[in-house]
Each structure stands twice: as structure tokens, then as C-alpha cells.
Amino acid sequence: MKSTLRIALTALTLAGLLAACTMGAQPTSDASAINTAVVGTQQAQALAQATVNAYTLTAMPATPTPGPTIEYVTLTEEELAALIDQAVAEAVAATEQTTTAVTTTTSDSAMTTEEVVYVYDYYYYADYYVEYAEELMAEYYELYSELANEMIAEMDAIAAELEQVNSTLSSIDSSLQEISATLEQGLEVATETIAQLESAAQQAQANAQELKSQAQDMMTVLQTDQQNRLNQIAQIQPNNIPTDRVAALQAGFQFIDTAKLALSDNKLSRDELTNLAQLGANAQAGFANFGGRGTGAGPGAGIDLSQFTNKFSEITQQFARGQMPQGRANLDGFERSLGTRPSGPGLPGGGPGLPGGGPGLPGGGPGLPGGGPGG
């Protein structure tokens, strides 16, 4: 609808110019010639003012073009937050340019069709980035709402300010539509309507500043949130240490299986992270106690488990930092490095649908950490 309005405004401008040319070719009386000269002078003055206004405006924004489709699950939390930060900054800048365009084109207490088109160029730019920022924030909520406590509070505050900007931009749009309808009828735009547009622009400017202020420390909040997660899991100590090499290997595969199950919905909750950290602490203790190169032909034979002792904390920390793609890749590589799974009743892979072990083994039965599906 906005594109149609913009085309209509442009068409109206061209029609007016053609009409002026046609009138100049018709014979007129002296009185008509005087009237025409007066109208022509007024039109020339209006066009001159529009030209001055146009030059006063900042550089016209490039038409926003959607970039390639992004699979947001392939981004780290920090990368997604950086996109949000950039989109919000663009929305603020574009809104401020829109308000400048309004102030400049209404400085003579009047508006022409050309000036309405000028303002709409800025308005569309601002509207695009507000919607883009909202889209990115919705993705962040979907992926991290159950993990990032401090960041979600920050996002809520930014979303509220962004909504205010969006609301005042809509007010600017409404005023521009009213002005356009008046100009299409060949009428003079009322000063009240101009004042209404200027008021909406002033409010948009104030809202843009509030949004900028609210969002300026977003990346700092993210770092604090991630550090708090790291501090939380760093306090977790082993509470169910494997008693032999096979049990240690089984605990390692339980950690892997539980992590994959937790990430099957492409997100991780704070409780799931805590559970993974506990399973990792247990398995890490087992690998430290029963590492070395295995002998015989059993599971993990010939593999020095001690070299993987730090893998559990490394992977858990990646998840705590929101580095999900790296954590997944690390997890897959770790699984391949461990070789053959222990099999048989009560061991990982020993029975259908059993991600953990059986009674008496880490994660095996009721009451043991990670005993049920999903840890």
C-alpha cells in the first residue's frame, strides 16, 4: 500500500507539470494571463523552496535490500546479538534521518507532493530496520530465552523502546497519508496537519534517543550473562565418579548422548546446561582416574582416555558461552575419537532407547544424575 501511495504521489507531480505546460500553450485574456503569472510565480517559489529543502536533507538512504537467508542456529549467541545491535543502531539512525527530513520539509509551514516523497524515502528506510531488529530479537528469544537470564531482561527493555519508535513512525505515516490525500484533491495542507506531523517527528526523535541509550550496553550485558553461566558451572563438583575404565567410558558417552538430546530442539536451558556440567564433571573425573591406553579388545581398547580429560569442560563452556555450532562440532569429533561404545544390557547403546546405563552405573537408574531421558 505504501509503494502504491508513493507511485500515486509521483504521478500526481508529473500530471501537475504537464498541466502547467498545456496551460502555457492556450490563448488567454489579460486577466487570465495575470492570474496565470501569479500562480506560476507561487509554483516557482514552492519548487525553489522544495529544492532548497532537498539539498538541506542528509544523503538519501540506499534502498534496503534483504541479504541472504540466515540459518540463525548456525550463529553463535554473540554473532546473533551483534546483528541485533547493528540493526537497532540502523533503526535509530534511520529514524533520526526521518525526523530531520520532516523538520526540513515543513520549515516553511507547507508541504508539496515532492516533499512528501522525500520524507517517505527516509520513512521506508527506518520502518525496514525496525522490523528487521524485531525479527532478529524474536530469533534470540526463540534460541536463548531459557538460558540467558540477564540478556532476556535487556532484550525486553530494548523491545519496549523499539515498539515506541515503531508507534511514532506509524504516526508519521498517518500524517503523511493525510497530507497526500489533501494534495491529491488540489487543496492546501492545513497548518494543524503540518503541526501534527512535526509533533510525531519530535516524539520519534525522542524515542530513538531512548532506544539508543537502552541498547548501548547490550553487548556488555551479554558478556556478563555468559560469565555468570561460566561461574555457575565452574562450581559443580563430581558426585558420581566412575569406578573403572568401562564405567568411565560409559559416562563419557552418556555426556555426549545427553548433550545431543538437549540440543535436539536447537536450544539449551539453564537446567540442561547445569545437568551437562554435572555429567561432564563425573566423566572427567573417571577419565582422569582410569585414563591411559586401554588393553585387550574391549571398548576403548588402544585409546588413551586421559588425553580427553578436558574435553567435557571445554564443550560445556562452549555451550555456556552460546557457541552452539562450535560445541556441536566439538561434541561430534569427541564421539568419533572415543571409538566403539560399550554395549550390552545397561550400557549406552546396549538397549533400544537407552541413552544412559543401567542400575549401578553412572546415569543408570532412578535417583542417579541423568538417569532418565534428557538428563
Side-chain angles (χ1 to χ4, degrees):
M1 182 176 71
K2 295 174 183 176
S3 297
T4 304
L5 175 60
R6 186 176 177 183
I7 294 173
L9 291 172
T10 304
L12 179 62
T13 303
L14 293 174
L17 294 174
L18 289 175
C21 293
T22 304
M23 289 173 59
Q26 294 175 346
T28 59
S29 65
D30 291 343
S32 297
I34 293 173
N35 290 336
T36 300
V38 171
V39 171
T41 300
Q42 292 174 341
Q43 288 178 339
Q45 290 173 344
L47 289 173
Q49 181 61 49
T51 301
V52 171
N53 290 344
Y55 279 116
T56 305
L57 296 176
T58 56
M60 296 301 293
T63 302
T65 55
T69 302
I70 299 175
E71 291 291 337
Y72 294 106
V73 295
T74 66
L75 301 178
T76 66
E77 181 184 17
E78 187 173 3
E79 288 169 342
L80 179 54
L83 285 180
I84 295 171
D85 190 47
Q86 181 181 2
V88 169
E90 291 284 2
V92 168
T95 300
E96 290 177 335
Q97 287 181 339
T98 303
T99 62
T100 299
V102 170
T103 301
T104 304
T105 55
T106 60
S107 59
D108 56 354
S109 300
M111 282 198 79
T112 65
T113 300
E114 297 90 343
E115 290 172 329
V116 172
V117 172
Y118 282 137
V119 175
Y120 259 126
D121 281 332
Y122 290 91
Y123 166 80
Y124 291 134
Y125 192 66
D127 186 58
Y128 171 85
Y129 274 107
V130 167
E131 290 185 2
Y132 182 46
E134 290 176 336
E135 175 191 329
L136 291 172
M137 291 175 68
E139 292 292 340
Y140 186 91
Y141 278 115
E142 175 64 23
L143 295 174
Y144 297 102
S145 61
E146 299 177 30
L147 179 67
N149 296 342
E150 290 86 353
M151 270 296 284
I152 291 302
E154 175 73 3
M155 286 292 174
D156 287 344
I158 292 174
E161 297 296 345
L162 200 59
E163 175 58 32
Q164 291 299 315
V165 171
N166 194 26
S167 177
T168 49
L169 283 175
S170 296
S171 296
I172 290 175
D173 178 37
S174 297
S175 294
L176 289 174
Q177 290 191 45
E178 183 177 347
I179 291 171
S180 297
T182 300
L183 291 172
E184 286 177 0
Q185 298 174 36
L187 302 176
E188 183 179 351
V189 179
T191 24
E192 292 81 3
T193 307
I194 298 291
Q196 183 179 2
L197 174 60
E198 290 175 331
S199 176
Q202 290 170 3
Q203 188 59 52
Q205 174 72 19
N207 290 340
Q209 285 301 311
E210 291 170 3
L211 173 59
K212 181 179 180 180
S213 177
Q214 180 60 53
Q216 66 182 354
D217 61 345
M218 183 180 71
M219 300 306 291
T220 302
V221 172
L222 173 62
Q223 293 173 2
T224 301
D225 197 327
Q226 292 179 346
Q227 188 59 51
N228 287 341
R229 296 173 222 163
L230 290 170
N231 294 342
Q232 180 184 0
I233 63 175
Q235 303 302 316
I236 296 175
Q237 299 298 318
N239 64 0
N240 191 11
I241 301 175
T243 56
D244 57 43
R245 181 181 174 83
V246 173
L249 192 58
Q250 185 252 350
F253 278 108
Q254 185 190 14
F255 170 84
I256 292 169
D257 292 341
T258 303
K260 287 186 173 182
L261 185 61
L263 291 169
S264 61
D265 57 357
N266 292 321
K267 51 190 173 184
L268 194 68
S269 70
R270 189 67 73 100
D271 288 343
E272 288 171 332
L273 176 63
T274 302
N275 183 53
L276 276 178
Q278 184 64 74
L279 293 175
N282 293 342
Q284 185 164 314
F287 274 43
N289 291 342
F290 305 104
R293 193 171 300 278
T295 58
I303 299 176
D304 181 3
L305 297 184
S306 62
Q307 66 180 309
F308 302 119
T309 301
N310 294 326
K311 272 294 180 182
F312 301 100
S313 58
E314 179 183 304
I315 292 172
T316 307
Q317 287 172 11
Q318 286 177 319
F319 291 145
R321 292 190 180 96
Q323 297 171 343
M324 305 307 177
Q326 292 86 341
R328 286 176 186 272
N330 203 354
L331 194 69
D332 290 340
F334 182 34
E335 181 179 16
R336 289 191 298 270
S337 298
L338 292 182
T340 306
R341 284 172 173 262
S343 59
L347 292 174
L354 295 177
L361 293 174
L368 295 178

